[in-house]
Amino acid sequence: MSVPTQLLFPLIRNCELGRICSSVCYCHHKPLCCRSSYSSAKPLRCGADGTFASAFRRPRDQCFQLRQYVTTPQRFYLTPPQVNSILKANEYSFKVPEFDGKNISSILGFDSNQLPANAPIEDRRSAATCLQTRGMLLGVFDGHAGCACAQAVSERLFYYIAVSLLPQETLLEIEQAVESGRALLPILQWHKHPNDYFSKEASKLYFNSLRTYWQELIDLNTGETTDVKEALINSFKRLDNDLSLEAQVGDPNSFLNYWVLRVAFSGATACVAHVDGVDLHVANTGDSRALLGVQEEDGSWSAVTMSHDHNAQNESEIQRLKSEHPKEEKTVVKQDRLLGLLMPFRAFGDVKFKWSIDLQKRVIESGPDQLNDNEYTKFIPPNYHTPPYLSAEPEVIYHRLRPKDKFLILATDGLWETMHRQDIVRIVGEYLTGVHHQQPIAVGGYKVTLGQMQGLLMERRARISSVFEDQNAATHLIRHAVGNNEFGAVDHERLSKMLSLPEELARMYRDDITIIVVQFNSHVIGAYQ
């Protein structure tokens, strides 16, 4: 960790954001003055008087200059075009094709975007149209302990779901095509941003695991129509099982062998929507969320929750864990974390909370040196007695769409930590319709002068006139999530500061944010009624 970042910690704890941001010099969003050449220095220690006792061996004048650099305010703001360039870098939009000038789908299209806080970003997103069955799949994936698991799940989960939904005849056609070497029927049409890549090196491994799955589905043929809820649950659980099995078996290719272990030892939550006509299913594992935007008869907006968090804020999840580990009621959840360590109570990967201690040691000892030298992988969670403690089984919620259901928001927890769900729905609803329902300006207990109130009203007028500077609903929502001030208005100065934070500080103020906004076709949905 660089020296200035450590020296900034007391400022951060005092929430002096402006002071931090204004003392950072940037060129093309890269820090010029924040890197220390003292990479081997020991951590700073805070003395009883609040000063730092340090093991750094620097001349006194250098230390003095460094303190002067950190504490001397130097105003630096991104211009609006620079802000827009950062916000729009990862945006993607898809409109469902029309036939004879008409859109016969219940989905008009979707907008998605990502804003990193981690470097590299640990979130992933996916969207695809099912080609052999009906419907569209959309999902967001929030990685932890690295991005490997989120990357693998974002590439593979939709194939498992699509295969689970296929009729028996189609599964047999696909298997016969593989056996005879013929071209396969395409299963999914992906809708991806250029940055949303696939792991080409692992494609053969992934295909072999998927093929084994559909072969088992063929063998287990019951002759019954596949239930979407059951398909979603089975797909989540089967993929997680395959991630674990691939890590245990290993691979003769050294790169793949290390990759499958990275995937298994990292983790990811997932929130996936399957939309087929008026049938909406949301499968959630972890603490990402899905929210339905509903427009009432008077034009106002309301929010319908389509997922439940699997963490310590969900009392039913705590009770589930305690019932599964009855002799560990005092240790299974500590400090609102699983075994005192992990915040989500359901996730892909994270084999440190699933494998036995003997299996973990055996895999690590026989694995590559990079894994054996990693302190995280060798660490055994405290009070680890009756694994598995963690599951990837999703909670599935079904909703029959109505004409007043206008859009669906899927987002990782980086969004929900910053804004209330009702505000999120209102912002997206007003953006999509262009109709703004003016509410009395709330000042939240602040003493506001007439001059300040006039300024707030002017800001609101300017905000309405410039709402269409974003051509993407997810981008518009991220702009509000990062730049909103205490009055609910986008503050360019605040937005500029938050986007200017160096990598070492950005994660201390917010998480990665990934959003998909799905817009529904009310006319088609109304015809189903």
Side-chain angles (χ1 to χ4, degrees):
M1 184 175 291
S2 59
V3 181
T5 303
Q6 292 171 307
L7 290 174
L8 285 173
F9 279 165
L11 299 180
I12 295 166
R13 294 193 183 101
N14 293 329
C15 299
E16 295 181 14
L17 174 61
R19 198 168 167 193
I20 296 172
C21 299
S22 60
S23 62
V24 178
C25 293
Y26 262 56
C27 177
H28 301 294
H29 316 307
K30 296 292 183 182
L32 293 175
C33 309
C34 294
R35 301 292 182 190
S36 168
S37 59
Y38 296 80
S39 58
S40 61
K42 297 179 181 178
L44 293 172
R45 300 184 298 276
C46 186
D49 60 351
T51 60
F52 283 99
S54 174
F56 291 118
R57 289 179 172 82
R58 301 172 178 268
R60 284 178 61 86
D61 59 335
Q62 288 187 18
C63 292
F64 177 77
Q65 290 173 7
L66 180 59
R67 293 193 198 99
Q68 284 292 99
Y69 166 76
V70 171
T71 58
T72 301
Q74 298 177 13
R75 293 289 178 188
F76 175 81
Y77 300 117
L78 299 171
T79 64
Q82 288 174 321
V83 167
N84 286 339
S85 178
I86 294 172
L87 290 180
K88 298 181 179 185
N90 297 310
E91 69 178 14
Y92 178 83
S93 295
F94 173 78
K95 301 302 178 187
V96 173
E98 296 182 346
F99 297 94
D100 295 329
K102 295 180 180 179
N103 182 346
I104 59 174
S105 170
S106 60
I107 294 178
L108 290 172
F110 70 87
D111 293 333
S112 71
N113 202 350
Q114 293 184 301
L115 183 67
N118 293 289
I121 186 172
E122 294 181 341
D123 281 5
R124 293 294 186 271
R125 58 183 165 176
S126 292
T129 300
C130 299
L131 296 178
Q132 302 304 320
T133 57
R134 300 179 307 176
M136 181 178 283
L137 288 163
L138 307 106
V140 293
F141 311 91
D142 188 350
H144 48 264
C147 62
C149 189
Q151 176 64 37
V153 174
S154 70
E155 293 183 38
R156 305 176 66 180
L157 180 59
F158 286 9
Y159 280 113
Y160 280 70
I161 296 171
V163 163
S164 299
L165 292 170
L166 290 177
Q168 188 74 5
E169 313 83 69
T170 307
L171 288 173
L172 287 170
E173 285 181 35
I174 293 175
E175 176 60 22
Q176 291 166 3
V178 174
E179 289 180 350
S180 61
R182 291 184 284 111
L184 290 177
L185 292 169
I187 297 175
L188 296 172
Q189 177 188 357
W190 290 94
H191 312 297
K192 302 180 79 68
H193 186 278
N195 292 344
D196 302 334
Y197 63 92
F198 279 106
S199 305
K200 293 182 180 179
E201 300 86 349
S203 59
K204 184 177 180 181
L205 171 69
Y206 293 171
F207 176 81
N208 289 337
S209 294
L210 182 66
R211 184 185 181 189
T212 301
Y213 179 46
W214 80 53
Q215 287 173 336
E216 292 179 14
L217 291 176
I218 292 172
D219 293 338
L220 294 172
N221 177 30
T222 61
E224 299 178 0
T225 304
T226 307
D227 175 72
V228 176
K229 179 178 179 179
E230 183 182 358
L232 289 168
I233 293 173
N234 291 342
S235 300
F236 274 60
K237 292 168 66 177
R238 178 53 184 251
L239 174 57
D240 190 53
N241 183 73
D242 283 354
L243 298 180
S244 174
L245 187 62
E246 289 162 2
Q248 293 176 51
V249 173
D251 194 280
N253 180 300
S254 59
F255 171 82
L256 282 182
N257 191 42
Y258 183 47
W259 172 251
V260 296
L261 288 166
R262 282 182 58 199
V263 169
F265 277 92
S266 58
T269 66
C271 188
V272 172
H274 179 266
V275 186
D276 179 7
V278 294
D279 296 319
L280 168 63
H281 290 83
V282 174
N284 183 56
T285 289
D287 51 11
S288 294
R289 294 181 190 171
L291 194 64
L292 196 63
V294 180
Q295 189 170 33
E296 306 297 347
E297 291 183 2
D298 63 357
S300 62
W301 294 95
S302 60
V304 175
T305 300
M306 287 297 299
S307 65
H308 302 299
D309 291 352
H310 300 134
N311 55 27
Q313 278 60 58
N314 186 338
E315 184 61 32
S316 64
E317 279 295 286
I318 295 178
Q319 294 306 316
R320 176 183 64 81
L321 283 168
K322 288 182 176 180
S323 66
E324 292 175 358
H325 306 275
K327 297 182 180 180
E328 303 169 63
E329 291 187 353
K330 294 183 179 180
T331 58
V332 68
V333 177
K334 294 186 69 175
Q335 298 177 328
D336 289 343
R337 293 171 182 255
L338 182 65
L339 298 178
L341 297 173
L342 191 65
M343 290 191 72
F345 291 171
R346 303 192 195 191
F348 286 90
D350 284 320
V351 293
K352 293 194 68 61
F353 297 87
K354 297 173 181 176
W355 289 355
S356 69
I357 293 176
D358 288 342
L359 178 57
Q360 291 188 44
K361 289 181 177 179
R362 190 161 65 248
V363 170
I364 291 171
E365 288 171 0
S366 62
D369 292 338
Q370 303 101 307
L371 190 73
N372 219 358
D373 296 338
N374 189 312
E375 292 299 324
Y376 170 75
T377 56
K378 291 191 293 185
F379 172 74
I380 301 297
N383 302 302
Y384 197 79
H385 306 299
T386 57
Y389 290 90
L390 195 65
S391 168
E393 181 173 345
E395 185 176 7
V396 180
I397 293 179
Y398 170 77
H399 177 81
R400 183 176 174 85
L401 292 172
R402 307 157 296 179
K404 65 178 183 177
D405 299 328
K406 301 300 182 183
F407 56 87
L408 177 73
I409 301 171
L410 302 170
T412 54
D413 62 350
L415 172 67
W416 312 111
E417 291 169 354
T418 62
M419 299 178 70
H420 189 273
R421 62 175 193 162
Q422 187 59 47
D423 293 330
I424 290 172
V425 165
R426 176 184 55 80
I427 289 169
V428 173
E430 292 180 351
Y431 170 83
L432 292 176
T433 61
V435 177
H436 299 263
H437 293 269
Q438 301 294 357
Q439 302 291 330
I441 290 182
V443 295
Y446 292 90
K447 292 183 178 179
V448 179
T449 66
L450 287 174
Q452 290 171 325
M453 181 60 75
Q454 182 185 19
L456 290 172
L457 291 169
M458 295 295 289
E459 280 184 19
R460 178 152 77 175
R461 178 185 296 177
R463 188 166 73 252
I464 294 171
S465 64
S466 63
V467 68
F468 295 109
E469 67 179 295
D470 294 319
Q471 281 75 50
N472 182 295
T475 303
H476 188 66
L477 191 49
I478 290 177
R479 187 184 300 274
H480 278 267
V482 178
N484 268 12
N485 59 21
E486 61 269 29
F487 303 113
V490 175
D491 182 333
H492 174 73
E493 183 175 322
R494 173 184 171 82
L495 187 58
S496 173
K497 288 178 179 179
M498 292 298 286
L499 295 179
S500 302
L501 287 172
E503 294 172 357
E504 298 91 340
L505 296 182
R507 185 61 184 87
M508 302 185 70
Y509 285 93
R510 60 176 178 82
D511 198 354
D512 298 330
I513 299 175
T514 297
I515 301 171
I516 299 176
V517 179
V518 187
Q519 190 173 3
F520 295 123
N521 190 336
S522 299
H523 299 294
V524 171
I525 292 172
Y528 277 90
Q529 304 297 326

